[in-house]
Amino acid sequence: MPAVGLVLALAACSSGVQDTGEKGGAPAKLDLKTSTPAAAKGLDKVTWNLPYEPQTLDPIRSFNYAENTALSNMCESLLRLTPDFEIKPGLAEKAENPNPTTWVYTLRDDVTFWNGDKLTAEDVEASLRRHLDPALGTWWGDYFHTVKSVEATGPLQVTVRLKQPDVLFNQAMATAAGAVVQKEFLDKAGKRLGTPSRGVMCTGPFAFKSWKSGDSLTLVRHEAYWDEELKAKSNSLDLRFIADETTAVNALRSGEVDGQFFYLPPAGLGQLKKSKTGSVTLGRSLTFWALLGSAESGPYADPKVRRALSLALDRAAISKVVFQDTAAPQRALTGSDYWGYARDTYEEAHDKLPPETPDQAEAQRLLGEAGKPDRPIVIGVQGSSAVHEQTANLLKATGESLGLPVEIKVIPVEQYGNLYSDPKARKGVDAFLSTWYGNVPDPLDVYTVFLKGGRTNFNDYRAVDADIKQARAESDPAARAKLVTGIQDKVTRDVTWMPLNNLPVILYMNDRVTGAVPSFPYLYYPWAAGLGAK
């Protein structure tokens, strides 16, 4: 399968980059969902697979697929990101902004932790303050660097004061950044918080019961859960850790496992689509596939070279062959699911960006202006990944059709994560392939990665730093949209990161179950509460 796919990808690329006007073939129109049919009744147990075993269940260090898939059913946040990408009240029934640098959260009075204790402002204060402690190493620091203080200002009131206005802070309270763990439990657990031996103490529809390292995590229904509409239908949720794709696909097809979310299409996706015992649902998503620029010198540091490669690339071929018709070509890093406000402004700006279809003539013109490169462009790819390999080979063929040499550097899977955090790991790598996602429906959440000195501003891009800071301080949605579309235009035309494809959520469920949330908010919303029997 991978070998055949690779040949097809290169063939599609060849036709796409020639001046014939032919493309690799438009991908099938995607019908993306935000819900699945409601369950008729609950089950005693639902078995689900995670793509790997979580490193921790500590909310401040849980910023990845497996961790958030588990936590979203257990630890609730002040606000709630719904399956339709709306931000609504969560543990806080009200969020007020009396001045640009103050947020006041009024908590619900009917919420209890799994042990029966009532939710208090002190629990929220303790949970949010953990993000301000450098020793704890939060992974949500981008949302807390403007926070000056967090205080319980009443039994059910918490006040957050900011150093400067920041529109992303309150939105982040609908993600795991705003998750609440009981203060008493935090104090007693210490460094063992979120470990197999200790777990967590939260308020969600499922409660932590046990964690067997290397095997599974078991959650049970919280009988006293406050939200009647989201009470768990089934008695327990068993989360398995089958990391090998082939084994996972076989477990799904056999019925050993009831369902799984995939953030990249597995090699066995075709088998799942044809399964007679289950079905695949594609969900709306904030996730995208991109080539992240990291070159500060050499050919790929030149925006004209980056733009030329981007213009010549046949994204439809990537969608059709690499992603097996489960992804759409993308002209900007943020697609329509990010447009949570001022949609007309974003749509108009998006339509003016360079199209997804190849333009070989313009690519050749730009390269002529840039001059002949003095060395190959080095693209980093993750080892043992057909998606990485096939996309990289498509990029290589595209570059070489322009006279732009491209070298592929395969990096072992266990070392690939170092590219995101260690400049030494990026040495000699001009760009690398990655999935990426913002956390809330605001394009600014993605473009904030290009802040000067930011930990993910890999090539030290500085053209939009002042604009990002101004946009984060702008509370008026219309004015903010104008600022953000300006940022988007600069980033897209400079191809700082090269957008390739939007990646829908891929959900497989066997015919025994239904009711899971198939859209991106499953990472922060109790997606399993509605799981039950058809």
Side-chain angles (χ1 to χ4, degrees):
M1 179 71 177
V4 174
L6 179 56
V7 171
L8 288 173
L10 292 173
C13 172
S14 177
S15 66
V17 297
Q18 292 176 0
D19 292 325
T20 63
E22 298 176 3
K23 301 187 287 295
K29 184 175 177 60
L30 301 177
D31 181 19
L32 305 181
K33 305 293 188 181
T34 58
S35 65
T36 57
K41 60 180 181 179
L43 292 164
D44 183 55
K45 183 176 79 168
V46 175
T47 302
W48 205 264
N49 190 49
L50 300 179
Y52 55 88
E53 182 170 5
Q55 293 185 357
T56 178
L57 292 179
D58 182 349
I60 76 167
R61 287 194 288 273
S62 297
F63 199 160
N64 214 337
Y65 291 100
E67 290 82 358
N68 290 130
T69 303
L71 269 173
S72 59
N73 294 290
M74 294 186 282
C75 296
E76 298 183 285
S77 300
L78 290 175
L79 303 179
R80 180 180 281 167
L81 180 63
T82 72
D84 294 318
F85 296 83
E86 295 181 357
I87 294 178
K88 293 189 174 182
L91 295 179
E93 62 182 8
K94 192 164 51 176
E96 297 172 290
N97 191 205
N99 61 62
T101 57
T102 303
W103 281 98
V104 180
Y105 297 95
T106 301
L107 307 180
R108 299 181 60 89
D109 64 2
D110 57 351
V111 179
T112 60
F113 290 98
W114 304 324
N115 63 3
D117 292 347
K118 297 276 285 187
L119 171 72
T120 70
E122 284 73 20
D123 299 309
V124 176
E125 177 190 76
S127 295
L128 296 188
R129 279 186 176 180
R130 297 182 71 234
H131 294 278
L132 305 180
D133 184 350
L136 296 179
T138 180
W139 287 12
W140 299 90
D142 287 348
Y143 300 118
F144 284 86
H145 74 272
T146 59
V147 174
K148 182 180 180 180
S149 64
V150 179
E151 292 181 75
T153 46
L156 292 172
Q157 185 186 81
V158 176
T159 300
V160 178
R161 293 183 173 85
L162 307 176
K163 302 170 189 174
Q164 60 200 52
D166 183 1
V167 296
L168 290 182
F169 174 78
N170 184 60
Q171 294 185 69
M173 294 301 97
T175 73
V180 178
V181 181
Q182 187 187 40
K183 181 182 184 302
E184 182 180 356
F185 190 89
L186 286 172
D187 293 341
K188 291 180 178 178
K191 292 182 179 180
R192 291 191 297 151
L193 180 72
T195 63
S197 64
R198 191 64 177 170
V200 288
M201 177 59 65
C202 296
T203 62
F206 280 100
F208 176 92
K209 181 182 180 183
S210 63
W211 180 350
K212 184 179 178 182
S213 295
D215 183 71
S216 62
L217 172 65
T218 300
L219 315 183
V220 294
R221 180 167 56 203
H222 178 197
E223 299 294 349
Y225 183 58
W226 62 273
D227 189 340
E228 290 292 333
E229 293 185 3
L230 282 173
K231 276 194 171 182
K233 284 185 177 291
S234 295
N235 292 332
S236 67
L237 179 64
D238 193 30
L239 299 172
R240 299 281 305 280
F241 313 140
I242 306 174
D244 180 76
E245 268 190 8
T246 301
T247 305
V249 167
N250 288 337
L252 289 165
R253 293 177 67 206
S254 70
E256 176 188 343
V257 172
D258 292 311
Q260 179 172 347
F261 295 105
F262 294 93
Y263 58 91
L264 286 175
L269 180 60
Q271 294 175 295
L272 294 178
K273 284 182 175 180
K274 296 175 182 177
S275 173
K276 295 180 180 179
T277 58
S279 60
V280 172
T281 301
L282 300 181
R284 288 173 54 192
S285 177
L286 300 180
T287 307
F288 56 88
W289 181 237
L291 182 66
L292 313 188
S294 56
E296 296 186 45
S297 62
Y300 204 70
D302 186 341
K304 290 182 179 179
V305 172
R306 299 195 297 264
R307 200 176 309 146
L309 183 61
S310 180
L311 282 169
L313 185 64
D314 189 348
R315 289 166 171 80
I318 300 176
S319 297
K320 189 172 184 63
V321 181
V322 179
F323 290 110
Q324 306 173 59
D325 276 334
T326 62
Q330 192 155 302
R331 68 178 64 182
L333 296 175
T334 55
S336 59
D337 280 328
Y338 278 95
W339 305 342
Y341 59 97
R343 288 189 67 88
D344 290 346
T345 300
Y346 281 111
E347 184 172 12
E348 181 181 357
H350 179 269
D351 290 346
K352 292 178 181 178
L353 295 172
E356 302 91 338
T357 52
D359 187 342
Q360 183 83 358
E362 178 63 9
Q364 292 282 11
R365 187 191 70 77
L366 284 167
L367 274 184
E369 291 183 0
K372 187 176 180 179
D374 58 358
R375 62 173 176 81
I377 294 170
V378 179
I379 295 177
V381 303
Q382 181 179 299
S384 305
S385 169
V387 168
H388 277 249
E389 180 185 6
Q390 292 176 12
T391 304
N393 277 284
L394 184 66
L395 285 161
K396 179 179 174 69
T398 302
E400 291 178 350
S401 75
L402 296 169
L404 186 64
V406 174
E407 178 183 314
I408 300 172
K409 182 177 182 180
V410 179
I411 300 168
V413 61
E414 62 271 13
Q415 298 174 21
Y416 203 75
N418 296 334
L419 293 173
Y420 300 92
S421 58
D422 186 358
K424 292 180 181 177
R426 296 192 296 271
K427 187 175 182 180
V429 175
D430 294 310
F432 58 100
L433 289 166
S434 179
T435 59
W436 200 272
Y437 57 84
N439 297 290
V440 295
D442 186 337
L444 180 59
D445 193 34
V446 169
Y447 295 119
T448 290
V449 301
F450 300 115
L451 276 170
K452 178 183 175 182
R455 59 187 176 86
T456 51
N457 189 355
F458 304 122
N459 62 351
D460 196 27
Y461 182 70
R462 303 187 179 196
V464 294
D465 180 69
D467 298 328
I468 292 171
K469 291 174 181 175
Q470 186 178 354
R472 285 189 71 152
E474 181 54 71
S475 60
D476 178 68
R480 182 160 84 251
K482 289 182 180 179
L483 288 167
V484 177
T485 53
I487 295 167
Q488 175 180 265
D489 188 71
K490 291 178 185 177
V491 167
T492 303
R493 294 183 190 279
D494 285 346
V495 198
T496 311
W497 287 8
M498 186 186 298
L500 301 175
N501 303 84
N502 171 263
L503 300 181
V505 174
I506 300 172
L507 165 65
Y508 178 86
M509 287 188 293
N510 67 34
D511 290 338
R512 189 177 84 99
V513 300
T514 187
V517 172
S519 55
F520 174 88
Y522 82 87
L523 290 172
Y524 309 123
Y525 181 89
W527 59 268
L531 266 180
K534 277 191 174 180

